[in-house]
Amino acid sequence: STISGDSVSFLLINGAELNIAGTATLNLSAFDPENPHHRPDPFAGLLFFADRLGAPVSHTMNGNATSDINGIVYLPNDNISYSGNSSAEYACIQIIASQLNIGGNGTLNIGCLPDKPSGSKLLHSAQRINLLE
């Protein structure tokens, strides 16, 4: 299956699980915070996000060579397993999770710079994360 969307966000609540199979093709970009007429709130830039007070959930992202995911993945209490058997390039993906497990033979580039292709915008979110002890 193929899922495409520009200027989108997915809110995962009540135990919702992100499970992306390796055969799926995703072409998704978060709301562009530099274009405020699309979304002027602090959640601009977030592609997938979950309530930081929710119960921990496990998510699976399996890579596909034709996928293009751009945005912030904010799942602070959750575990993400990425198993890639591709060399999918993500122009700008930033992952915040309790645990990130990477396996397989694929390549996962996390972040925007310096691997970001020229002409791509750096994504920001007005949300801030603090480490408390």
Side-chain angles (χ1 to χ4, degrees), residues 72-121:
I72 299 167
V73 177
Y74 179 72
L75 307 169
N77 293 334
D78 302 347
N79 297 329
I80 301 174
S81 294
Y82 176 85
S83 177
N85 290 315
S86 68
S87 57
E89 296 280 335
Y90 303 129
C92 187
I93 186 169
Q94 300 167 32
I95 298 175
I96 297 128
S98 175
Q99 185 172 349
L100 174 62
N101 300 304
I102 301 173
N105 297 320
T107 301
L108 175 63
N109 293 320
I110 298 174
C112 295
L113 297 172
D115 296 322
K116 188 174 162 185
S118 63
S120 298
K121 296 179 184 175

Side-chain angles (χ1 to χ4, degrees), residues 35-75:
N35 195 350
H37 74 275
H38 282 280
R39 187 167 184 154
D41 64 42
F43 297 103
L46 293 171
L47 183 59
F48 296 104
F49 62 105
D51 182 358
R52 63 179 169 230
L53 301 176
V57 176
S58 294
H59 306 277
T60 303
M61 296 176 68
N62 292 324
N64 182 315
T66 59
S67 288
D68 183 16
I69 301 173
N70 298 299
I72 299 167
V73 177
Y74 179 72
L75 307 169

Side-chain angles (χ1 to χ4, degrees), residues 113-130:
L113 297 172
D115 296 322
K116 188 174 162 185
S118 63
S120 298
K121 296 179 184 175
L122 181 61
L123 294 176
H124 296 279
S125 175
Q127 296 295 311
R128 297 293 180 241
I129 299 152
N130 296 319

